[in-house]
């Protein structure tokens, strides 16, 4: 839904960047969409992305 892998979400939970808000009827963890977006934004600002330009 947000383009974030399950492994990344579980990593954010372990690192306390994201918390589980509840469980659905199947017992799967539920997260607030805004919390996931904030965790992703915080991760992206902490880890600078390298931009590679192709030589023309």
């Amino acid at each position: 839904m947000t383009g974030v892998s399950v492994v990344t979400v579980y990593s954010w939970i372990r690192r306390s960047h994201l918390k589980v808000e509840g469980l659905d009827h199947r017992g799967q963890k539920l997260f607030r969409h805004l919390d996931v977006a904030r965790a992703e934004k915080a991760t992206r600002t902490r880890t600078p992305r390298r931009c590679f330009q192709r030589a023309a």
Side-chain angles (χ1 to χ4, degrees):
M1 180 185 255
T2 61
V4 179
S5 73
V6 174
V7 174
T8 301
V9 171
Y10 286 128
S11 174
W12 290 344
I13 294 168
R14 276 194 319 274
R15 295 175 182 171
S16 300
H17 298 300
L18 188 62
K19 73 174 195 171
V20 177
E21 290 294 326
L23 300 174
D24 70 0
H25 66 282
R26 292 175 288 177
Q28 293 182 332
K29 295 176 174 110
L30 298 174
F31 307 96
R32 289 182 19 185
H33 187 76
L34 185 58
D35 291 341
V36 175
R38 284 181 180 154
E40 182 177 13
K41 182 179 179 187
T43 300
R44 290 189 187 277
T45 58
R46 276 192 303 273
T47 307
R49 302 284 180 211
R50 295 185 186 141
C51 295
F52 297 101
Q53 291 183 336
R54 290 180 148 176

